[in-house]
């Protein structure tokens, strides 16, 4: 009988601890890993010697970043539509513009009782946007102290992808062997493709996105930061730290691209209004 009572008491304690929450700032604080699929990234300077920011005395503050790329299921729950070319709940959402992702972040924040990170003025043209073909040009500013969802900065993305403070100096996010961690044009279809990049061969091989989380994680436990879909960042593309331009930064490479695009140091630019079947994103939140 005594053993039975002790067992019941232990079970009550486990359930109580597992269900505990903390309410702050008008929202319920929940265990990040279980509910939000966010990974905590401890801040600091860049340790990966292959990073663009190594040795430049740049310090990144601690933050949370998505364990996975935003999936189609997550997108549908917030936006009520699915723009993706390749359909599947657990596939990363694609065919989303930079503007789409900004709007998603705010709508998800509001739904979860968080303070939106972005101020979006759809009626005022962004003066820093120099793209002659961008007819959207929303003016987007930030609430730096907000706890809502946002896109990572280029520095944050590269810091997380390269392993943060526990980096092992990998070329790709989590390995020096791309095939262990990345989906790119050679391995994202029916068979492993030989030779040089070739679109007819890629198309005939049925290359496409893959369900998130199938490859190895990086040092921090984050999936698919190399390959699968290219990921939007907040920054303008151009010189590092530029505050204006015609394109926004993307990082990580994708199923359609070359393996070199999967390197943590690779940086690409894409017009913010454009969409592609290999263009997605992951979210961040402030610590």
């Amino acid at each position: 009988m005594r053993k039975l009572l002790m067992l019941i008491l232990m079970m009550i304690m486990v359930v109580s601890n597992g269900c505990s929450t903390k309410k702050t700032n008008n929202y319920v604080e929940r265990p990040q890993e279980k509910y939000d699929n966010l990974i905590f990234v401890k801040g600091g300077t860049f340790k990966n010697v292959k990073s663009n920011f190594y040795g430049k005395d740049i310090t990144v503050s601690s933050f949370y970043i998505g364990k996975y790329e935003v999936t189609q299921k997550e997108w549908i729950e917030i936006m009520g539509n699915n723009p993706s070319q390749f359909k599947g709940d657990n596939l990363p959402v694609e065919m989303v513009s930079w503007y789409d992702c900004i709007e998603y972040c705010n709508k998800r924040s509001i739904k979860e009782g968080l303070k939106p990170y972005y101020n979006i003025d759809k009626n005022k043209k962004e003066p820093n946007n120099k793209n002659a073909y961008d007819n959207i040009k929303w003016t987007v500013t930030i609430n730096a102290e907000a706890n809502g969802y946002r896109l990572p900065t280029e520095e944050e993305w590269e810091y997380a992808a390269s392993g943060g403070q526990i980096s092992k100096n990998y070329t790709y996010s989590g390995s020096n062997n791309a095939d262990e961690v990345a989906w790119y044009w050679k391995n994202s279809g029916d068979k492993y493709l030989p030779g040089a990049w070739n679109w007819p061969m890629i198309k005939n091989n049925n290359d496409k996105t893959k369900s998130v989380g199938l490859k190895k994680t990086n040092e921090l436990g984050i999936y698919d930061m190399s390959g699968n879909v290219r990921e939007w960042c907040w920054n303008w593309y151009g010189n590092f730290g530029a505050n204006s331009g015609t394109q926004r930064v993307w990082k990580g490479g994708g199923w359609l691209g070359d393996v070199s695009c999967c390197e943590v140091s690779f940086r690409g630019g894409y017009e913010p209004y454009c969409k592609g079947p290999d263009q997605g994103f992951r979210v961040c939140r402030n610590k």
Side-chain angles (χ1 to χ4, degrees), residues 19 35 78 84 121 130 135 143 154 165 174 248 260 272 283:
C19 296
Y35 292 96
I78 301 300
S84 304
D121 189 339
K130 308 302 182 183
N135 294 319
N143 298 308
E154 180 179 3
Q165 291 298 294
R248 294 283 184 171
S260 61
V283 293

Side-chain angles (χ1 to χ4, degrees), residues 55-265:
K56 294 186 177 180
D57 197 29
I58 294 174
T59 300
V60 175
S61 298
S62 298
F63 64 101
Y64 290 98
I65 193 168
K67 184 177 183 179
Y68 308 104
E69 294 161 332
V70 173
T71 65
Q72 292 174 33
K73 183 176 186 295
E74 290 173 320
W75 181 271
I76 293 169
E77 288 174 350
I78 301 300
M79 305 299 283
N81 59 63
N82 187 1
S84 304
Q85 178 170 312
F86 306 106
K87 296 295 193 290
D89 281 354
N90 212 38
L91 295 176
V93 68
E94 18 91 2
M95 295 297 292
V96 288
S97 71
W98 184 88
Y99 297 108
D100 293 334
C101 299
I102 292 293
E103 196 158 38
Y104 169 89
C105 288
N106 268 14
K107 287 187 175 183
R108 181 171 171 180
S109 297
I110 293 168
K111 183 175 181 179
E112 296 185 16
L114 306 174
K115 182 178 180 180
Y117 189 81
Y118 298 113
N119 304 303
I120 304 173
D121 189 339
K122 297 184 179 181
N123 298 313
K124 181 182 178 182
K125 298 296 184 182
E126 168 59 66
N128 291 320
N129 188 333
K130 308 302 182 183
N131 193 303
Y133 302 100
D134 187 347
N135 294 319
I136 300 176
K137 291 188 177 180
W138 296 344
T139 295
V140 182
T141 57
I142 66 172
N143 298 308
E145 303 304 317
N147 57 11
Y149 294 96
R150 60 181 177 83
L151 293 177
T153 65
E154 180 179 3
E155 293 87 347
E156 287 174 327
W157 191 99
E158 192 163 318
Y159 181 78
S162 63
Q165 291 298 294
I166 56 174
S167 175
K168 296 181 180 178
N169 295 314
Y170 291 134
T171 299
Y172 309 101
S173 186
S175 179
N176 286 323
N177 179 356
D179 291 311
E180 290 184 341
V181 293
W183 297 110
Y184 62 108
W185 76 274
K186 279 184 175 288
N187 67 6
S188 62
D190 295 338
K191 61 182 181 180
Y192 195 90
L193 295 176
W197 193 95
N198 178 287
W199 170 240
M201 184 167 60
I202 291 170
K203 184 178 181 181
N204 291 333
N205 196 44
N206 297 312
D207 281 24
K208 59 182 180 179
T209 57
K210 302 295 184 180
S211 294
V212 299
L214 296 182
K215 294 282 188 177
K216 287 175 56 178
T217 70
N218 75 352
E219 300 94 313
L220 296 172
I222 309 171
Y223 290 91
D224 297 317
M225 293 200 85
S226 286
N228 215 5
V229 290
R230 301 178 296 166
E231 300 181 16
W232 285 113
C233 293
W234 164 256
N235 307 66
W236 289 104
Y237 179 77
N239 294 327
F240 289 105
N243 60 5
S244 66
T246 62
Q247 300 177 323
R248 294 283 184 171
V249 171
W250 62 261
K251 297 282 286 179
W255 64 270
L256 181 58
D258 188 68
V259 67
S260 61
C261 301
C262 298
E263 297 178 9
V264 295
S265 60

